[in-house]
């Protein structure tokens, strides 16, 4: 995993990325993604041609930026570089520069791990926080700064509960990572007991002066669900009682992880928990967003045109953050979930569509992207069903109103028949006809394939027309769907939205 | 380069109504070396072009090695899925030379990640690193099946690029909305793109694709050829759309119907009964077929090959008896009814008895099936007529389905509805067993319980009506609360 196409000089690349580069040890510690050729001066000709070719969107330029440069191609490369650096940050490949709302937790964790690395103290701790509150980022940053200081004096082993689903594979992974890092011979083990014994001997032998190992356990709660929690027990046991300095850092999003641990495991754990919270005020939230989207300040060696572009971009970004439309989008996410990841998700499309014609971000892009991501997918799906299926759904809604939560196809068809009789009697049935039972059954099964209608029991005990189902929509969604349906006959609309005919 | 603009224009031409989605996807992909969004979920109706569009887009814009396409129904275990993905990324296919093995042995997610982190060794000298330079795409079709593969597969795949620290983008295609994919403890949420349904214009445009652009030459009986052009086909497809769109908007179904009905539609032209521009007359002549199509073809009661065979037989027949041929074909198609059962006489009565036992409440048995003497007794007792014959309630048995009944009750009803006394030679239990094997009756109690067995009737009302008609039994008189 070497960084290919190494930058010759750190000149053109922003100082933030330089810190990523300095770490020579690139094995597992710094998640140093091969951030590719963003140095415009090293970009080959074909790539820059392609860059200008990608910028082919023929949309009208919303705001004419101040003339940055004469050359279209160099503007395109600047835009490309900006795009890449922002995309790196939104897709969480590179570390954010400031973790302002997590500074206290950062200090705690850094102090803890420093003790392990410097002094040889064994420690264990648990990082608990919501999804997207920055646990992995925090750990990576701490490791990064430790690497800067102590270089190769410690080893890290990273495990993930999603991947290593049982103790055996976890052990294999630990052995793999340790032996690769410290260039030991590759031994293959056949049984769990053997590998465990080897590993324990490896880890237990040694004194305060052996290389400290930091274990990072992602999705810690999943490890607690392995049989007998053998891995956790052993790790905490080593941390507690043996001389070899190890640190165990668990990351989890479950607040009740401590309850999941067995008594013997819990007693060996140091009960040190660090809680992470998302930004508490809207100001913090929006400044975190702004720091992700803004381009880092250029240093003295950047090209003048490039500097101008960066300045203009950041100014446009400032203007964007004053725009009420944009702020409404961000505010909504803050009010609902305070999750920075949701902001990142809606940033992908506007950032990806940056081009030489549209070198700055506009509020409407974010608004459109936000609308798309938070559209109620079930109602959207209902826009595309056929009229018969829509009528069946409305019939199910009517049955629901009548307090029959579960129903079968016969009941729905009965309701449909009643509706058709009613509209035909009152003369409103223009162009609609009563379909046969079998045709309606096919439409019903089509709805089942979307999982909008689910059977109550998983095993069928009677003919399929009689199987009890429940509808996975609620009344407001149904009336919404009827309202948005294209070319809906008025009779159906009235019936569906609840007004009496 | 102009390549990108050209290919995007070409794609937009090939997929009408999808230009927005094409633009979005192309801008998200960016250049090969750009970082991409870790996972995308594309959802939409069936036959809305998700698979075809994504495959075409990827094949025209990037090299074949850069993307792997996996159908999760076909490759339903993690091993099959991951091995195939790595095979496609290394352009390796199992063949005779390599003894049909995959390029790497991958049993589970753990091994897959090892392969991604360390690379695949092609031979002694070369290792292929996946996703370190250019973005690799993993396209998973029918992604809803991933939920059944184990609880950790889906969350891990959604953040594959973060876990493996490689430039990989996972694209999920599904008809089911993302809300149903969520797991209990949450995961990284993918970017959601919706493929909306086609508008009428787009649907007609796609249907027209099946018709060759230069039109068609049709041989009229001893009178030369006539040219059928695009407009003719367009009016035909509009007619088909207007008939079927209310109950079926699915593009594949419409194409199926158009393909099978078009020969019948142009048949009168071939016979010389009508000219190409007389669309109203053609439509009127084809009317009975369209009616049949709604039932038989759409419901697949008759297979498309059989339909094609019958209609081609018709095309070969002479014009003089044309309308009789039409009628006979329709009649033949209609009588190909499903479930033409031929049960023995008394077995039919047994089936009728079981239907009555399933759908009639037991308290009315005496009223329907006992002899007259018992009626008198009831009348004397007076006004205990509880539930009056209400009909049309929502909870009536007709809607709720069959209820289980003990065998003795069915036998009692059976003996009361047959007119004459049975010979002892007929073995009733054997008949019951054969009905169960035919799945016309269902046994609801376990096979272990030898006595006290309960059964349920498994046939529909239309079927039993047919059976009753064949033995001249008026079943409607004996059913309670049926509409």
């Amino acid at each position: 995993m070497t960084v290919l196409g190494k930058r010759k000089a750190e000149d053109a690349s922003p100082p933030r990325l330089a810190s990523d580069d300095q770490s020579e040890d690139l094995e597992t510690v710094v998640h140093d993604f091969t951030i590719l050729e963003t140095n415009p001066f090293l970009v080959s000709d074909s790539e820059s041609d392609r860059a200008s070719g990608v910028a082919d969107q023929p949309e009208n330029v919303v705001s004419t930026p101040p003339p940055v440069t004469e050359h279209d191609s160099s503007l395109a490369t600047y835009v490309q570089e900006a795009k890449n650096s922002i995309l790196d940050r939104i897709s969480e490949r590179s570390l954010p520069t400031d973790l302002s709302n997590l500074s206290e937790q950062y200090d705690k964790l850094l102090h803890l791990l420093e003790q392990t690395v410097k002094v040889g103290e064994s420690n264990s701790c648990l990082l608990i926080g919501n999804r997207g509150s920055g646990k992995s980022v925090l750990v990576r940053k701490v490791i990064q700064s430790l690497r800067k200081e102590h270089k190769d004096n410690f080893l890290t082993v990273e495990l993930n509960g999603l991947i290593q689903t049982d103790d055996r594979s976890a052990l294999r992974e630990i052995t793999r990572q340790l032996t690769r890092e410290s260039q030991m011979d590759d031994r293959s083990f056949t049984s769990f007991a053997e590998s465990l014994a080897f590993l324990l001997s490896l880890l237990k032998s040694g004194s305060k002066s052996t290389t400290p190992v930091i274990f990072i356990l992602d999705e810690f709660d999943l490890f607690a669900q392995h049989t007998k929690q053998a891995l956790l027990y052993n790790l905490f046991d080593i941390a507690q009682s043996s001389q070899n300095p190890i640190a165990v850092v668990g990351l989890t999003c479950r607040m009740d992880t401590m309850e999941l641990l067995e008594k013997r495991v819990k007693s060996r754990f140091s009960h040190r928990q660090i809680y992470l919270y998302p930004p508490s005020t809207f100001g913090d939230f929006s400044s975190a967003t702004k720091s992700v989207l803004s381009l880092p300040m250029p240093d003295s060696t950047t090209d003048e045109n490039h500097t101008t572009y960066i300045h203009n971009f950041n100014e446009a970004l400032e203007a964007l953050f004053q725009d009420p439309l944009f702020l409404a989008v961000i505010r909504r996410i803050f009010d609902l979930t305070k999750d920075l990841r949701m902001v990142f998700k809606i940033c992908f499309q506007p950032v990806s569509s940056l081009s030489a014609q549209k070198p700055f971000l506009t509020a409407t892009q974010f608004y459109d992207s936000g609308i798309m991501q938070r559209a109620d997918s079930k109602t959207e799906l209902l826009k595309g069903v056929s009229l018969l299926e829509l009528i069946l759904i409305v019939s199910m809604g009517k049955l629901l109103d009548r307090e029959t939560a579960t129903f079968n196809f016969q009941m729905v068809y009965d309701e449909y028949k009643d509706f058709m009789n009613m509209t035909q009697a009152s003369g409103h049935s223009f162009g609609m006809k009563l379909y046969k039972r079998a045709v309606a059954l096919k439409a019903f099964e089509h709805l089942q394939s979307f999982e909008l209608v689910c059977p109550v029991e998983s095993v069928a005990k009677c003919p399929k027309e009689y199987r009890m189902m429940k509808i996975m929509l609620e009344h407001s969604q149904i009336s919404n769907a009827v309202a948005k349906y294209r070319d809906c006959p008025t009779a159906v609309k009235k019936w569906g939205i609840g007004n009496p005919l | 380069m102009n390549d990108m603009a050209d290919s995007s224009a070409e794609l937009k031409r090939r997929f009408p109504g999808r230009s927005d989605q094409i633009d979005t996807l192309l801008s998200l992909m960016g250049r090969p070396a750009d970082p991409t969004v870790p996972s995308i979920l594309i959802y939409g109706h069936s036959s809305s072009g998700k698979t075809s569009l994504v495959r075409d887009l990827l094949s025209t814009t990037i090299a074949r090695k850069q993307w792997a396409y996996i159908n999760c129904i076909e490759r339903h275990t993690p091993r099959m899925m991951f091995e195939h993905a790595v095979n496609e990324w290394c352009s390796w296919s199992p063949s005779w030379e390599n003894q049909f093995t995959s390029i790497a042995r991958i049993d589970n997610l753990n091994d897959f990640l090892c392969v991604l982190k360390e690379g695949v060794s092609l031979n002694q000298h070369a290792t292929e690193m996946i996703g370190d330079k250019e973005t690799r795409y993993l396209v998973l079709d029918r992604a809803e099946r991933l939920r059944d593969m184990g609880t950790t597969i889906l969350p891990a795949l959604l953040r594959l690029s973060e876990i493996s620290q490689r430039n990989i983008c996972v694209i999920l295609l599904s008809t089911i909305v993302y809300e149903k994919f969520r797991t209990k403890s949450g995961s990284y949420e993918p970017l959601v793109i919706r493929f909306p349904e086609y508008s009428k214009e787009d649907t007609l445009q796609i249907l027209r694709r099946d018709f060759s652009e230069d039109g068609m030459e049709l041989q009229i009986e001893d009178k030369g050829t006539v040219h059928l052009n695009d407009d003719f086909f367009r009016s035909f497809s509009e007619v088909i759309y207007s008939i079927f769109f209310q109950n079926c908007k699915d593009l594949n179904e419409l194409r199926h119907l158009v393909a099978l009905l078009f020969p019948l539609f142009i048949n009168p032209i071939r016979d010389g009964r009508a000219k190409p521009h007389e669309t109203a007359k053609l439509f009127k002549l084809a009317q009975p077929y369209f009616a049949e199509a709604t039932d038989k073809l759409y419901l697949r009661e008759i297979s498309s090959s059989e339909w094609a065979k019958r209609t081609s037989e018709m095309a070969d027949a002479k014009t003089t008896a044309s309308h009789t041929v039409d009628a006979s074909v329709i009649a033949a198609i209609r009588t190909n009814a499903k479930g033409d059962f031929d049960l023995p006489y008394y077995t039919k009565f047994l089936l009728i008895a079981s239907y009555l036992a399933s759908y009639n409440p037991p308290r009315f048995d005496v009223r329907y099936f006992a002899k007259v003497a018992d009626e008198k007794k009831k009348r004397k007792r007076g006004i205990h007529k509880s539930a009056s014959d209400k009909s049309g309630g929502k909870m009536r048995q007709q809607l709720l389905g069959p209820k289980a009944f003990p065998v003795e009750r069915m036998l009692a009803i059976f003996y009361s509805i047959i007119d004459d006394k049975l010979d002892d030679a007929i073995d009733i239990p054997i008949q019951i067993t054969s009905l169960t094997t035919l799945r016309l009756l269902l046994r609801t109690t376990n096979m272990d319980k030898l006595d006290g067995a309960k059964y349920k009737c498994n046939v529909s009302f239309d079927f039993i009506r047919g059976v009753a008609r064949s033995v001249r039994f008026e079943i409607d008189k004996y059913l309670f609360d049926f509409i």
Side-chain angles (χ1 to χ4, degrees):
Chain A
M1 283 141 292
T2 51
V3 175
L4 297 157
K6 201 99 165 80
R7 288 172 197 73
K8 294 188 262 214
E10 310 306 332
D11 33 349
S13 49
R16 175 187 56 78
L17 286 174
S19 64
D20 270 355
D21 261 346
Q22 269 162 27
S23 51
E24 291 305 327
D25 179 8
L26 299 165
E27 301 269 293
T28 47
V29 178
V30 177
H31 298 224
D32 191 7
F33 290 113
T34 57
I35 301 160
L36 264 308
E37 300 300 29
T38 53
N39 186 342
F41 299 106
L42 293 179
V43 166
S44 62
D45 282 301
S46 62
E47 279 199 60
S48 62
D49 280 349
R50 203 121 59 94
S52 47
V54 159
D56 63 347
Q57 279 92 344
E59 298 98 335
N60 29 344
V61 178
V62 174
S63 59
T64 48
V68 179
T69 172
E70 309 303 304
H71 296 131
D72 204 33
S73 64
S74 55
L75 173 63
T77 45
Y78 302 149
V79 171
Q80 193 61 42
E81 182 190 328
K83 204 157 75 154
N84 276 359
S85 77
I86 301 181
L87 278 178
D88 267 339
R89 270 170 286 164
I90 332 181
S91 58
E92 296 178 32
R93 252 172 247 207
S94 56
L95 297 174
T97 34
D98 77 298
L99 289 174
S100 47
N101 58 323
L102 295 175
S103 52
E104 192 193 307
Q105 289 92 340
Y106 177 81
D107 289 332
K108 260 197 242 173
L109 189 62
L110 184 65
H111 177 75
L112 194 74
L113 291 182
E114 258 183 359
Q115 290 295 100
T116 309
V117 176
K118 269 201 220 152
V119 181
E121 216 179 76
S122 288
N123 276 318
S124 54
C125 105
L126 199 56
L127 285 177
I128 305 183
N130 228 345
R131 291 246 175 236
S133 51
K135 306 181 288 294
S136 313
V137 158
L138 186 70
V139 171
R140 275 159 59 177
K141 262 197 118 65
V142 167
I143 299 285
Q144 190 186 64
S145 41
L146 283 178
R147 283 284 172 204
K148 243 192 300 196
E149 235 189 278
H150 300 273
K151 302 279 190 294
D152 266 341
N153 287 345
F154 64 97
L155 303 168
T156 55
V157 173
E158 285 171 21
L159 300 175
N160 191 317
L162 290 175
I163 318 278
Q164 280 90 36
T165 44
D166 63 7
D167 285 338
R168 175 180 238 139
S169 46
L171 269 182
R172 256 213 305 264
E173 186 64 21
I174 297 177
T175 326
R176 193 179 72 88
Q177 290 192 21
L178 281 181
T179 51
R180 190 188 53 204
E181 289 208 26
S182 52
Q183 271 85 36
M184 278 171 51
D185 6 274
D186 196 32
R187 292 197 229 178
S188 57
F189 296 106
T190 43
S191 79
F192 179 75
E194 250 188 61
S195 30
L196 182 59
F198 171 69
L199 198 63
L200 289 178
S201 64
L202 201 66
L203 291 172
K204 280 197 180 152
S205 68
S207 58
K208 287 247 179 224
S209 53
T210 13
T211 326
V213 185
I214 300 182
F215 284 87
I216 302 172
L217 299 171
D218 232 331
E219 316 282 345
F220 185 81
D221 44 304
L222 294 177
F223 281 109
Q225 278 156 12
H226 296 172
T227 52
K228 298 210 204 110
Q229 298 180 357
L231 180 75
L232 290 183
Y233 174 77
N234 284 303
L235 281 179
F236 286 143
D237 194 40
I238 298 170
Q240 199 80 325
S241 44
S242 80
Q243 292 286 339
N244 202 352
I246 74 166
V248 181
V249 180
L251 283 75
T252 175
C253 63
R254 276 181 76 156
M255 295 288 166
D256 62 343
T257 318
M258 294 296 289
E259 324 294 324
L260 295 172
L261 297 176
E262 279 183 21
K263 180 173 153 312
R264 58 185 182 143
V265 180
K266 208 194 301 200
S267 61
R268 284 173 172 77
F269 174 54
S270 70
H271 283 76
R272 195 179 282 113
Q273 292 163 58
I274 303 179
Y275 288 93
L276 279 82
Y277 305 108
S280 47
T281 64
F282 183 59
D284 287 341
F285 191 76
S286 59
S287 56
T289 318
K290 198 189 289 197
S291 67
V292 165
L293 287 176
S294 50
L295 292 177
M297 277 299 122
D299 54 11
S300 52
T301 50
T302 331
D303 181 23
E304 196 194 303
N305 288 335
H306 197 188
T307 318
T308 333
Y309 172 71
I310 291 182
H311 276 302
N312 288 335
F313 186 89
N314 287 340
E315 269 174 27
L317 195 67
E318 284 290 330
L320 186 70
F321 271 82
Q322 310 293 332
D323 189 329
L325 191 64
F326 177 76
L327 280 178
V329 174
I330 305 286
R331 181 92 217 189
R332 192 170 186 280
I333 295 180
F334 177 73
D335 286 337
L336 280 178
T337 61
K338 283 197 199 170
D339 193 359
L340 273 173
R341 279 207 181 130
M342 291 195 68
V343 180
F344 293 168
K345 216 164 38 139
I346 64 169
C347 291
F348 269 111
Q349 261 176 286
V351 173
S352 312
S353 54
L354 281 177
S355 65
Q357 280 90 351
K358 273 171 44 170
F360 305 119
L361 299 168
T362 57
T364 39
Q365 290 172 321
F366 287 91
Y367 182 70
D368 292 333
S369 174
I371 293 281
M372 199 175 81
Q373 290 307 309
R374 66 175 164 93
D376 181 17
S377 352
K378 282 189 190 162
T379 326
E380 295 290 316
L381 212 55
L382 284 177
K383 274 192 207 165
V385 296
S386 64
L387 188 63
L388 175 62
E389 287 159 6
L390 187 73
I391 296 179
L392 287 179
I393 289 190
V394 179
S395 332
M396 288 190 257
K398 294 290 170 195
L399 280 176
L400 208 61
D401 285 342
R402 239 175 285 163
E403 308 291 322
T404 42
T406 55
F407 40 79
N408 59 20
F409 169 69
Q410 298 284 41
M411 294 197 235
V412 177
Y413 189 71
D414 215 43
E415 190 73 31
Y416 166 55
K417 243 190 334 191
D418 287 343
F419 166 66
M420 288 309 289
N421 290 341
M422 207 159 46
T423 49
Q424 266 163 8
S426 60
H428 286 119
S429 73
F430 180 65
M432 297 191 292
K433 62 177 191 157
L434 180 71
Y435 286 97
K436 271 181 20 176
R437 198 174 286 262
V439 177
L441 185 61
K442 185 163 173 171
F444 192 72
E445 288 184 335
H446 194 224
L447 287 175
Q448 246 181 292
S449 75
F450 288 129
E451 296 194 3
L452 289 173
V453 174
C454 286
V456 171
E457 343 150 304
S458 48
V459 180
K461 288 192 214 133
C462 42
K464 64 183 179 189
E465 296 99 7
Y466 297 110
R467 250 181 112 180
M468 295 310 246
M469 307 273 179
K470 56 184 193 289
I471 186 168
M472 312 301 278
L473 297 167
E474 50 161 29
H475 195 87
S476 56
Q477 283 175 312
I478 300 179
S479 8
N480 232 355
V482 174
K484 289 195 192 160
Y485 193 77
R486 207 193 297 185
D487 307 328
C488 184
T490 30
V492 178
K493 215 179 229 165
K494 273 203 214 153
W495 189 48
I497 304 191
N499 296 340
L501 246 176
Chain B
M1 264 179 250
N2 284 334
D3 260 4
M4 290 285 277
D6 282 344
S7 48
S8 121
E10 169 68 22
L11 280 169
K12 288 183 191 175
R13 193 191 65 84
R14 250 188 290 159
F15 293 96
R18 291 270 177 260
S19 8
D20 282 343
Q21 285 76 35
I22 293 177
D23 284 333
T24 314
L25 281 173
L26 281 174
S27 78
L28 284 173
M29 277 166 57
R31 298 183 313 172
D34 286 346
T36 45
V37 54
S39 50
I40 304 176
L41 171 76
I42 297 178
Y43 76 99
H45 279 266
S46 50
S47 29
S48 56
K50 305 181 291 291
T51 312
S52 52
L53 180 73
V54 170
R55 285 190 72 128
D56 266 356
L57 195 136
L58 288 176
S59 55
T60 51
T61 47
I62 54 179
R64 184 65 182 88
K65 242 171 68 141
Q66 305 288 93
W67 56 282
Y69 172 82
I70 295 181
N71 188 325
C72 294
I73 293 184
E74 194 185 322
R75 311 207 182 256
H76 55 92
T77 65
R79 178 175 169 198
M80 284 194 235
M81 199 164 79
F82 295 134
E83 281 194 358
H84 187 77
V86 175
N87 284 352
E88 290 210 355
W89 276 331
C90 304
S91 315
W92 171 279
S93 56
S95 67
W96 173 249
E97 288 90 34
N98 46 44
Q99 278 94 47
F100 295 101
T101 52
S102 312
I103 196 169
R105 167 86 197 224
I106 300 176
D107 279 317
N108 47 29
L109 198 48
N110 202 5
D111 297 338
F112 184 56
L113 274 142
C114 283
V115 162
L116 287 180
K117 287 192 185 158
E118 296 177 346
V120 186
S121 56
L122 298 171
N123 46 44
Q124 279 93 337
H125 311 290
T127 23
E128 168 105 12
M129 298 297 284
I130 298 179
D132 56 342
K133 274 193 275 231
E134 302 192 330
T135 320
R136 301 274 185 154
Y137 294 91
L138 182 60
V139 181
L140 295 164
D141 206 355
R142 307 299 195 108
E144 60 267 13
R145 299 296 173 117
L146 285 175
R147 299 177 294 179
D148 309 323
M149 264 199 227
T151 44
T152 64
I153 298 268
L154 187 59
L157 280 175
L158 287 174
R159 49 186 347 161
L160 190 62
S161 74
E162 176 192 334
I163 298 181
S164 63
Q165 304 157 32
R166 293 269 174 269
N167 201 354
I168 299 185
C169 176
V170 177
I171 302 180
L172 303 168
L173 305 172
S174 177
T175 51
I176 296 184
V177 301
Y178 179 64
E179 287 146 11
K180 309 229 172 228
F181 283 82
R182 289 208 173 106
T183 45
K184 254 195 309 189
S185 50
S187 51
Y188 185 87
E189 308 245 319
L191 190 70
V192 170
I193 299 180
R194 178 176 168 250
F195 271 34
E197 63 282 355
Y198 288 114
S199 66
K200 175 173 175 182
E201 247 325 296
D202 295 331
T203 318
L204 290 177
Q205 207 177 338
I206 297 176
L207 284 175
R208 251 187 312 181
R209 285 258 168 82
D210 288 336
F211 191 65
S212 74
E213 288 185 356
D214 314 319
M216 193 174 124
E217 291 292 328
L218 191 57
Q219 175 84 25
I220 302 189
E221 284 237 331
D222 20 270
K223 276 194 207 140
T225 63
V226 77
H227 183 84
L228 297 173
N229 59 4
D230 206 34
D231 285 336
F232 178 77
F233 193 75
R234 189 200 156 85
S235 46
F236 172 68
S237 46
E238 269 193 38
V239 162
I240 294 282
Y241 186 83
S242 53
I243 298 177
F244 288 108
F245 83 104
Q246 271 198 5
N247 70 337
C248 167
K249 265 193 181 178
D250 191 276
L251 193 62
N252 281 341
E253 294 269 359
L254 286 175
R255 287 175 70 189
H256 178 241
L257 289 167
V258 161
L260 291 178
L261 289 176
F262 190 64
L264 292 173
F265 190 68
I266 59 177
N267 214 27
I269 304 180
R270 192 176 300 170
D271 299 340
R273 278 181 283 166
K275 298 277 186 314
H277 54 266
E278 295 168 349
T279 42
K281 188 166 171 198
L282 285 170
F283 181 46
K284 196 161 66 90
L285 285 170
Q287 185 74 20
Y289 297 112
F290 287 1
E292 285 307 307
T294 326
D295 293 345
K296 302 286 179 197
L297 272 188
Y298 181 61
L299 294 174
R300 302 285 199 278
E301 277 178 22
I302 173 171
S303 72
S304 47
S305 52
E306 197 171 333
W307 175 276
K309 194 169 66 147
R310 285 183 193 277
T311 53
S312 63
E313 278 169 10
M314 203 175 70
D316 297 335
K318 283 295 165 198
T319 54
T320 48
S322 56
H323 57 276
T324 52
V325 169
D326 292 355
S328 69
V329 167
I330 294 178
I333 294 172
R334 227 176 249 155
T335 54
N336 195 6
K338 57 183 176 198
D340 251 345
F341 272 92
D342 216 3
L343 291 172
Y345 184 68
Y346 283 122
T347 315
K348 288 187 186 168
F349 274 105
L350 203 56
L351 191 62
I352 295 174
S354 72
Y355 192 82
L356 291 171
S358 276
Y359 285 91
N360 272 357
R363 60 181 191 275
F364 291 110
D365 277 352
V366 181
R367 197 168 72 140
Y368 284 115
F369 304 114
K371 301 294 176 228
V372 186
D374 298 87
E375 287 267 13
K376 256 199 255 171
K377 247 196 259 175
K378 242 201 153 166
R379 247 181 277 149
K380 268 201 198 147
R381 250 181 292 150
I383 322 128
H384 179 57
K385 275 283 175 154
S386 56
S388 42
D389 267 358
K390 62 176 185 309
S391 53
K394 275 302 169 223
M395 283 299 139
R396 54 189 203 273
Q397 202 56 41
Q398 180 190 15
L399 297 181
L400 283 180
K403 281 173 74 157
F405 52 82
V407 172
E408 297 82 19
R409 184 171 162 226
M410 173 176 77
L411 289 178
I413 297 178
F414 171 68
Y415 283 118
S416 95
I417 59 177
I418 56 175
D419 297 328
D420 38 352
K421 217 165 141 8
L422 269 186
D423 307 341
D424 298 306
I426 298 178
D427 212 358
I428 299 295
I430 289 187
Q431 297 300 322
I432 297 180
T433 319
S434 14
L435 283 177
T436 317
T437 321
L438 287 171
R439 303 290 286 172
L440 296 172
L441 275 189
L442 290 175
R443 187 179 174 131
T444 52
T445 55
N446 238 345
M447 286 309 277
D448 300 349
K449 259 184 113 191
L450 288 176
D451 49 303
K454 285 199 178 173
Y455 286 84
K456 212 164 23 170
C457 183
N458 202 17
V459 294
S460 65
F461 185 48
D462 296 320
F463 186 84
I464 207 75
R465 240 210 309 233
V467 167
R469 207 176 304 135
S470 70
V471 292
R472 276 184 285 270
F473 178 77
E474 293 188 21
I475 195 167
D476 290 317
K477 276 210 221 150
Y478 290 86
L479 283 170
F480 170 70
D481 201 11
F482 255 61
I483 295 186

